[in-house]
C-alpha cells in the first residue's frame, strides 16, 4: 500500500511546526527496571549510528543505538523505533523532525533511562518500506531484538515499539501479531496509522495483554484527502485500535484536530507522555519541559493513615472456634499509609514501600469502561508514583495500590477542574 514520502525539503519546512504541539512532558530521573532482565553483556553503552546487521534469514540493514549515559547497574528499558516510508528520519537522525533535538525521541527516552534503537528496514527495492515483505521484515527485527537482549541488560517487561506511518503498519500488522512472545511488557506508540494484522496472530500471553498499553496518535485530518496517495490513516488507526482492544489490550486513539500526516516535532513529546504514565517511576520528577500549566489554586491533598484515603474497604479477620479445633481465615494484606494528591490531568501517590516488596503499582481506572493507566516501581522506601497527563479534568476515577499482586489500598478521587 503506498504512503506519502517525506522529502528532505518537506521535513525541514515542517520542523518549524514542532512548537505548535504544546504537549506536556515530565523529565524524571532514570527509572529502575523490574526484575525481568536478560543480563546481557558485550555491547557498548555509547551512541553509534548506521550499524550493520544481518539476520538469520539473510536480510541485511542498519540500525542506530543511543545508549550513552544509560545506567548499567540495572536492567534498562528499550525503545525500538520504526521509520515511515522513505526513512527520512533514519537517514537524518539529528533532525528535530523525529529523533533529534531536545524534544526528540532519543533525548526524551534517554532522560527516562531508555536505550533507543531506530531500525532501517531491510527493504532495498524502490522506495523503502516496512510493510512490503512485512512478514520477513518481522523475522529480521525479531533476530535483531534477540541480539540486543544478548548484548545489553534489557528489561523485557519495559520494551516500547514506536513507529510512524509505514513503521506503524509494521508494528501492528506484522511484528506484534507474529512476535509478541519476544516481549513481556512495555507499550506501543504508533503515529499516522497502525492497522489490523496482515499475518496470522499468534496467541497473546495474558501477562502481555495486561502490561502492554497501546496508543495510537493520528491527526484528525490524516484521512486521505491531503495526501497524493489517498491513504486514510485515521481509518486504519480506528480499525487497528479496535482490533487490539477486542483482544483485551488497553488501547487509546488520539486524533488532534488540524493535524494531517505530517507530525513533525510531535514524536518525542507524545512518547514522553506515555512513558511517564506507564514506565517505572521511582523518584519525584526533577525537571519540567513544556509542561501544561496547572491552575494556581491550591490543590487538595488527602493524607491517609489507616485506612487509605477517600473510599476504602478493609476485610475483617474472622475467627471460628469449635470444641475440637480453632480455624482462622488468612488475614488480608495490611493496608498501607500513603498520600494521594489529584492534579488537573493526573494524580501523585506518595508512599513508603516496605522492604521485601518486589513491585508496587498505582493503577487508576475509569469509573465506567475498560480504561486504565498505571505507574509502578520496583524500589522500596519513600517513593512517588505519578499519573502525569492521561486523565480528564473534573472527573472521578477509581484507583488501587497493589503490592506484588495484593491490593494494599483503594478508593476514588476527582481530578481538578
Amino acid at each position: 500500500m503506498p504512503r506519502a514520502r517525506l522529502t528532505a525539503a518537506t521535513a525541514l519546512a515542517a520542523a518549524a511546526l514542532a512548537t505548535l504541539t504544546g504537549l506536556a512532558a515530565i523529565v524524571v530521573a532514570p527509572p529502575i527496571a523490574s526484575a525481568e532482565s536478560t543480563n546481557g553483556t558485550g555491547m557498548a553503552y555509547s551512541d553509534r549510528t548506521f550499524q550493520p546487521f544481518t539476520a538469520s534469514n539473510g536480510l541485511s540493514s542498519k540500525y542506530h543505538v543511543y545508549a550513552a549515559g544509560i545506567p548499567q547497574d540495572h536492567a534498562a528499558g528499550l525503545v525500538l523505533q520504526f521509520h515511515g516510508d522513505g526513512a527520512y528520519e533514519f537517514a537524518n537522525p539529528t533532525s528535530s523532525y523525529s529523533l533529534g533535538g531536545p524534544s526528540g525521541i532519543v533525548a526524551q527516552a534517554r532522560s527516562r533511562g531508555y536505550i533507543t534503537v531506530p531500525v532501517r528496514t531491510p527493504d532495498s527495492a524502490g522506495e523503502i518500506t516496512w510493510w512490503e515483505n512485512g512478514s520477513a521484515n518481522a523475522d529480521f527485527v525479531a533476530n535483531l531484538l534477540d541480539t540486543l537482549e544478548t548484548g545489553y541488560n534489557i528489561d523485557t517487561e519495559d520494551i516500547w515499539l514506536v513507529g510512524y506511518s509505514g513503521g506503524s503498519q509494521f508494528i501492528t500488522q506484522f511484528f506484534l501479531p507474529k512476535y509478541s512472545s519476544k516481549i513481556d511488557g512495555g507499550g506501543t506508540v504508533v503515529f499516522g496509522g497502525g492497522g489490523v494484522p496482515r499475518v496470522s496472530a499468534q496467541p497473546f500471553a495474558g501477562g502481555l495483554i495486561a502490561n502492554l498499553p497501546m496508543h495510537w496518535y493520528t491527526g484528525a485530518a490524516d484521512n486521505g484527502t491531503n495526501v497524493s496517495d489517498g491513504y486514510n490513516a485515521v481509518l486504519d488507526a480506528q480499525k487497528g485500535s479496535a482490533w487490539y482492544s477486542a483482544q483485551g489490550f488497553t488501547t487509546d486513539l488520539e486524533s488532534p484536530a488540524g493535524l494531517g500526516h505530517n507530525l513533525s516535532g510531535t514524536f518525542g513529546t507524545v512518547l514522553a507522555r506515555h512513558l511517564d504514565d506507564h514506565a517505572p517511576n521511582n523518584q519525584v520528577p526533577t525537571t519540567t519541559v513544556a509542561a501544561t500549566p496547572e491552575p494556581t489554586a491550591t490543590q487538595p491533598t488527602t493524607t491517609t493513615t489507616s485506612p487509605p484515603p477517600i473510599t476504602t474497604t478493609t476485610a475483617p479477620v474472622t475467627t471460628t472456634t469449635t470444641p475440637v479445633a480453632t480455624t482462622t481465615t488468612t488475614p488480608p494484606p495490611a493496608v498501607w499509609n500513603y498520600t494521594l494528591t489529584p492534579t488537573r490531568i493526573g494524580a501523585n501517590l506518595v508512599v513508603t514501600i516496605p522492604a521485601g516488596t518486589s513491585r508496587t503499582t498505582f493503577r487508576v481506572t475509569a469509573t465506567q469502561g475498560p480504561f486504565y493507566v498505571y505507574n509502578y516501581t520496583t524500589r522500596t522506601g519513600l517513593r512517588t508514583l505519578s499519573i502525569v497527563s492521561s486523565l480528564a479534568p473534573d472527573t472521578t476515577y477509581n484507583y488501587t495500590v497493589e503490592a506484588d499482586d495484593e491490593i494494599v489500598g483503594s478508593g476514588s478521587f476527582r481530578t481538578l477542574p
Side-chain angles (χ1 to χ4, degrees):
M1 67 190 71
R3 296 288 181 280
R5 181 175 183 173
L6 179 71
T7 64
T10 302
L12 291 175
L17 298 176
T19 56
L20 299 178
T21 59
L23 298 174
I26 304 299
V27 177
V28 301
I32 304 300
S34 72
E36 291 295 326
S37 162
T38 58
N39 296 308
T41 58
M43 298 187 80
Y45 280 73
S46 60
D47 293 348
R48 304 182 306 283
T49 56
F50 301 101
Q51 301 297 293
F53 181 77
T54 300
S56 58
N57 65 357
L59 293 180
S60 297
S61 191
K62 295 180 179 181
Y63 66 95
H64 308 314
V65 60
Y66 297 94
I70 302 302
Q72 301 180 41
D73 61 345
H74 59 267
L78 174 67
V79 172
L80 286 176
Q81 190 270 345
F82 303 95
H83 58 74
D85 293 359
Y88 172 84
E89 59 268 52
F90 184 89
N92 299 273
T94 61
S95 170
S96 60
Y97 164 71
S98 176
L99 297 173
S103 297
I105 287 174
V106 172
Q108 294 298 317
R110 194 198 309 270
S111 69
R112 290 158 174 80
Y114 286 82
I115 297 171
T116 301
V117 177
V119 188
R120 184 191 184 278
T121 175
D123 179 21
S124 59
E127 182 177 46
I128 60 173
T129 71
W130 276 109
W131 49 271
E132 293 174 308
N133 201 27
S135 182
N137 291 341
D139 300 340
F140 170 87
V141 171
N143 205 173
L144 175 60
L145 179 56
D146 288 340
T147 300
L148 294 170
E149 290 181 348
T150 299
Y152 290 108
N153 186 7
I154 299 296
D155 179 4
T156 59
E157 287 189 341
D158 201 10
I159 295 177
W160 286 73
L161 307 176
V162 179
Y164 166 62
S165 191
S168 294
Q169 301 293 72
F170 172 71
I171 292 171
T172 63
Q173 294 184 332
F174 296 100
F175 183 75
L176 192 56
K178 193 171 184 180
Y179 285 110
S180 64
S181 61
K182 291 288 184 182
I183 58 180
D184 299 314
T188 69
V189 184
V190 293
F191 297 84
V196 300
R198 294 176 61 187
V199 294
S200 296
Q202 299 301 306
F204 297 110
L208 180 68
I209 291 174
N211 291 302
L212 193 83
M214 302 184 68
H215 308 283
W216 278 255
Y217 187 95
T218 298
D222 194 3
N223 56 13
T225 61
N226 300 306
V227 291
S228 59
D229 61 10
Y231 171 56
N232 190 332
V234 173
L235 183 60
D236 251 352
Q238 291 171 344
K239 290 180 177 179
S241 60
W243 189 90
Y244 279 96
S245 177
Q247 312 312 306
F249 288 92
T250 299
T251 66
D252 65 70
L253 170 58
E254 187 175 358
S255 295
L259 282 184
H261 204 59
N262 189 338
L263 299 175
S264 176
T266 65
F267 299 100
T269 50
V270 173
L271 172 62
R273 284 194 290 128
H274 294 303
L275 291 179
D276 286 339
D277 279 347
H278 300 294
N281 175 22
N282 302 288
Q283 299 186 27
V284 177
T286 56
T287 305
T288 301
V289 178
T292 301
E294 293 291 345
T296 56
T298 302
Q299 299 180 357
T301 299
T302 303
T303 303
T304 81
T305 52
S306 182
I310 307 173
T311 304
T312 303
T313 301
T314 303
V317 176
T318 304
T319 303
T320 303
T321 304
T322 69
V324 178
T326 300
T327 302
T328 304
T329 61
T330 302
V335 173
W336 285 9
N337 299 329
Y338 54 85
T339 300
L340 189 150
T341 305
T343 67
R344 184 170 180 272
I345 52 176
N348 298 312
L349 181 93
V350 180
V351 60
T352 299
I353 302 171
T357 305
S358 298
R359 173 170 168 144
T360 302
T361 303
F362 174 35
R363 191 182 306 272
V364 175
T365 61
T367 54
Q368 296 181 350
F371 166 86
Y372 75 88
V373 294
Y374 66 94
N375 191 215
Y376 74 87
T377 180
T378 58
R379 303 291 298 277
T380 57
L382 182 63
R383 301 292 163 193
T384 299
L385 294 158
S386 298
I387 304 300
V388 178
S389 58
S390 289
L391 307 184
D394 200 22
T395 302
T396 299
Y397 292 91
N398 299 321
Y399 73 89
T400 56
V401 184
E402 303 163 13
D404 298 334
D405 298 323
E406 297 284 353
I407 295 178
V408 294
S410 63
S412 62
F413 65 87
R414 191 171 187 86
T415 50
L416 299 182

